[in-house]
Amino acid sequence: MTTTSVTQTGRASDGAAGRVPAAPARRRPPGAASTWTAVGFAAPLLAYLAVFYAYPLWRNIDLSVHDYTVRAFVLGNPDFVGIEKYLEVFSSNAFPTALANTALFTIVSIAFQYAIGLGLAVFFHANFRLSNLLRALFLVPWLLPLIVSASTWAWMLNSDHGIVNSVVQAFGGEQINWLTSPDTALTSVIIANIWLGIPFNLVILHAGLQQIPAEVYEAASLDGASAWQQFWRITFPLLRPVSGITLLLGFIYTLKVVDVIWIMTTGGPGNASLTLAVWSYREAFGTGQPDFSPAAAIGNLLIVIALVFGFVHVRMQRSWEKS
Amino acid sequence: MTARPSTRPWWKTVLGVVFTALMLFPVYWMVNVSLTDASDLRRSSPNWFPTSPTFDGYAAALSQQLPSLGTSLVVGLGSVVLTVVIAAPAGYALAILNLRGGRTLNFLLLVAQMIPAVVMAMGFYAIYVRLGLLNSVWGLIVADSTISVPFGVLLYSTFMAGIPRELVHAARIDGAGPWGTFTKVVLPVSRNSTLTVALFAFLWAWSDFIFASTLSRSGQFVPITLGIYQYIGNNTTQWNAIMATAVIASLPAAILLVVAQRYVAAGVTAGAVKD
């Protein structure tokens, strides 16, 4: 028993990290007597999902179709307004800005995270001395609490005392008001967010690289393919499924980012670094005057966007399983 | 694992060290600032090295933030327990007992992971306001566990699906019921999954800012993430104390990375690479 569990557990973490294709799922014959037993074991989860997921989500929809003033919020007697709050959000001045910022923030963040993550994954794929240790150190930014990384970046980008401006000025540049100028605020939070996302991309793409059989590369180098050709003709195409999942998960994670932006710029100055998620947070919790109804409407809009891409995700996984 | 050190170029190691140093520069900078004297922080060119380190920042941080650290510890551990208690049996039901509608449940769990935290925070706020659960440790534990429960179930069920059926059948033949099979065979074999789930549940609860800043904004139970945030708002001149608190708040992550690095890597990939 003991030996079984040791080999089994050892294999488990390898399986999760290196993704050895698992044995095809074995289905028990239908009509097994354990149906209710299974429901019993899943019952805590089902109850949990109903109470702590479905109910808060329903409350959120409820918030968005009523006019919840602070008074009505406490008393629980808001007026029903239908889609009025949604129309209010769509026609707001902040909406085009927030939508454009969200698109820029997600697309630019993901593009750089992926490109840098892939470059590093290929680099670390060739085992060299200390490669495992250095790759582990790359995980640090991902594990730190976001408040820690965001406030560190905020201090590094501080206009007067930040290290970044100190370097810029040492090379003869002008002082840049990274976080307080409308021209650079969005760029600043994107830079910090790229830094945060590199570890995730590196780890997943590195795991994906290990699935590519070494013989493919050996055959290619026998045929005289250069490293550059090997990357574009073998690595990149064979990594496509993993890349797709990485980019998609990156998109879904980045779409809902609030903390980094809120801590560094609170979406400002003005609306310069306002994204949809930050806007929602600001309306509900960021000002002295909580305005839950529009905040919930923006939140529900975010869910719809995430769901669309979620369906794409499931589709991609299905086709990946088949291939 | 064919080690051929003689053919491994040393320049790659040098390059790797340079990349890692660049990547970790902000972390270094946090430590450096935390050791700098408050009066030196306002100079126009910052010190690159803590040549005359002072622990004033840490003294200030510890004297003011110790209760917050305690709160975060309790919330983190509570979230771990809640996550494992819910996720492990659910994984068993999905992977080994072939729960009917399992595919639908898997899909719901994937969707659950896509819901923005700010939306959940609003829903919880609306509920907690009526129940009087704002600023309570229990309320925060429950809210924080929603980050890790879907992940936990997916991780457990992926792993448990790979447990050889012979092992489960052998337990049945020995007379173990579903509960006995679960506690005596499946759970011990899934020890590594439990470690990974627990590790992430703790880290996510410890690091959470959105739930903390919405559900636990005032009162005596302020977690460390919010402690730092309020610190920034209150005294922007004492950045050495803020960075010292940040260093202390990073310790769990650092310890876990050293102690349990392979579980971390397993967890990161499990989110993306599952079936």
Side-chain angles (χ1 to χ4, degrees):
Chain A
M1 186 60 239
T2 334
T3 44
T4 331
S5 77
V6 168
T7 50
Q8 187 58 32
T9 42
R11 203 193 310 161
S13 71
D14 288 344
R19 198 58 212 162
V20 185
R26 275 156 289 185
R27 301 254 163 221
R28 267 155 56 90
S34 64
T35 310
W36 287 106
T37 321
V39 174
F41 275 93
L45 174 69
L46 299 172
Y48 181 92
L49 287 179
V51 178
F52 300 126
Y53 263 98
Y55 187 56
L57 285 179
W58 181 82
R59 279 301 270 130
N60 206 63
I61 294 172
D62 179 62
L63 283 174
S64 72
V65 295
H66 289 87
D67 187 18
Y68 268 95
T69 57
V70 178
R71 224 178 100 79
F73 201 81
V74 178
L75 294 175
N77 59 346
D79 297 328
F80 180 80
V81 294
I83 60 163
E84 194 184 292
K85 292 291 167 187
Y86 288 86
L87 296 178
E88 221 172 80
V89 165
F90 289 136
S91 58
S92 152
N93 283 336
F95 184 70
T97 316
L99 198 64
N101 283 350
T102 308
L104 262 176
F105 182 76
T106 40
I107 293 169
V108 176
S109 287
I110 292 171
F112 278 93
Q113 287 170 0
Y114 175 77
I116 298 172
L118 181 59
L120 288 167
V122 171
F123 177 75
F124 280 112
H125 188 50
N127 264 330
F128 50 87
R129 269 186 219 94
L130 296 180
S131 65
N132 284 335
L133 174 73
L134 296 177
R135 198 161 47 83
L137 285 174
F138 259 82
L139 283 172
V140 168
W142 190 78
L143 290 171
L144 293 182
L146 274 174
I147 178 97
V148 167
S149 352
S151 47
T152 304
W153 275 99
W155 182 244
M156 283 170 52
L157 293 172
N158 183 287
S159 298
D160 301 317
H161 315 298
I163 182 73
V164 175
N165 268 352
S166 160
V167 171
V168 167
Q169 284 165 329
F171 285 95
E174 293 276 302
Q175 173 178 312
I176 302 169
N177 296 318
W178 291 99
L179 301 174
T180 48
S181 152
D183 301 327
T184 49
L186 188 63
T187 312
S188 304
V189 291
I190 289 176
I191 292 173
N193 193 56
I194 292 170
W195 181 79
L196 285 167
I198 289 172
F200 176 77
N201 283 263
L202 166 62
V203 171
I204 295 188
L205 293 169
H206 188 263
L209 284 180
Q210 291 186 319
Q211 285 174 255
I212 302 176
E215 299 85 60
V216 184
Y217 289 105
E218 279 160 25
S221 47
L222 282 180
D223 290 345
S226 69
W228 186 249
Q229 285 172 322
Q230 285 184 22
F231 176 79
W232 286 109
R233 302 258 170 85
I234 300 171
T235 311
F236 201 65
L238 286 180
L239 210 55
R240 235 189 55 186
V242 182
S243 297
I245 297 289
T246 312
L247 290 171
L248 205 71
L249 284 177
F251 178 85
I252 290 164
Y253 292 152
T254 314
L255 195 64
K256 53 182 190 181
V257 165
V258 172
D259 349 29
V260 187
I261 302 178
W262 184 257
I263 294 161
M264 288 177 71
T265 66
T266 67
N271 295 335
S273 55
L274 191 74
T275 62
L276 288 173
V278 175
W279 190 19
S280 174
Y281 182 89
R282 187 166 84 180
E283 290 290 317
F285 304 107
T287 60
Q289 299 248 290
D291 211 350
F292 284 96
S293 296
I298 303 164
N300 290 334
L301 182 67
L302 271 178
I303 293 185
V304 172
I305 301 175
L307 275 185
V308 170
F309 284 86
F311 276 110
V312 179
H313 177 150
V314 173
R315 273 286 157 90
M316 276 169 59
Q317 278 198 328
R318 296 260 162 87
S319 64
W320 186 20
E321 271 168 39
K322 277 180 202 137
S323 65
Chain B
M1 284 297 118
T2 45
R4 288 166 300 178
S6 53
T7 61
R8 293 176 184 182
W10 59 269
W11 61 267
K12 281 208 160 187
T13 304
V14 174
L15 204 57
V17 170
V18 171
F19 287 156
T20 313
L22 277 175
M23 185 70 180
L24 294 188
F25 180 77
V27 182
Y28 166 73
W29 199 246
M30 166 176 79
V31 177
N32 182 26
V33 171
S34 76
L35 294 169
T36 306
D37 193 72
S39 59
D40 286 341
L41 284 173
R42 266 162 286 165
R43 297 199 318 191
S44 54
S45 63
N47 283 336
W48 282 83
F49 304 101
T51 41
S52 51
T54 161
F55 288 91
D56 292 355
Y58 286 88
L62 282 178
S63 68
Q64 291 159 41
Q65 301 290 349
L66 215 50
S68 303
L69 289 166
T71 307
S72 282
L73 194 66
V74 172
V75 171
L77 294 176
S79 178
V80 167
V81 172
L82 187 56
T83 303
V84 170
V85 163
I86 289 175
Y92 177 60
L94 278 167
I96 293 175
L97 301 177
N98 296 321
L99 179 74
R100 288 180 75 182
R103 268 188 107 82
T104 315
L105 189 58
N106 265 327
F107 175 72
L108 284 179
L109 290 168
L110 274 178
V111 171
Q113 289 180 301
M114 291 165 189
I115 297 166
V118 60
V119 174
M120 295 296 289
M122 272 185 279
F124 273 115
Y125 187 88
I127 296 167
Y128 283 6
V129 137
R130 318 281 329 252
L131 296 180
L133 275 173
L134 286 178
N135 302 319
S136 78
V137 168
W138 289 110
L140 201 53
I141 288 176
V142 166
D144 279 344
S145 73
T146 59
I147 315 172
S148 45
V149 164
F151 165 83
V153 178
L154 293 174
L155 192 100
Y156 268 120
S157 67
T158 306
F159 174 79
M160 288 174 180
I163 295 179
R165 286 303 158 110
E166 299 73 44
L167 213 60
V168 178
H169 289 315
R172 295 244 170 89
I173 290 164
D174 288 349
W179 179 254
T181 312
F182 176 60
T183 52
K184 298 216 179 71
V185 178
V186 174
L187 265 190
V189 165
S190 313
R191 198 186 58 112
N192 280 14
S193 302
T194 305
L195 281 173
T196 307
V197 170
L199 190 144
F200 277 90
F202 184 83
L203 265 188
W204 286 333
W206 177 273
S207 316
D208 160 69
F209 172 76
I210 294 186
F211 287 130
S213 69
T214 54
L215 306 175
S216 185
R217 277 195 279 192
S218 49
Q220 52 190 140
F221 304 118
V222 171
I224 187 66
T225 48
L226 205 59
I228 298 177
Y229 185 66
Q230 291 174 345
Y231 227 163
I232 298 174
N234 290 344
N235 45 5
T236 30
T237 49
Q238 268 201 314
W239 272 89
N240 56 349
I242 295 172
M243 288 295 115
T245 319
V247 171
I248 298 168
S250 311
L251 286 182
I255 293 169
L256 290 173
L257 186 67
V258 172
V259 177
Q261 191 239 323
R262 69 196 186 105
Y263 304 113
V264 175
V268 179
T269 32
V273 195
K274 65 158 291 289
D275 44 25

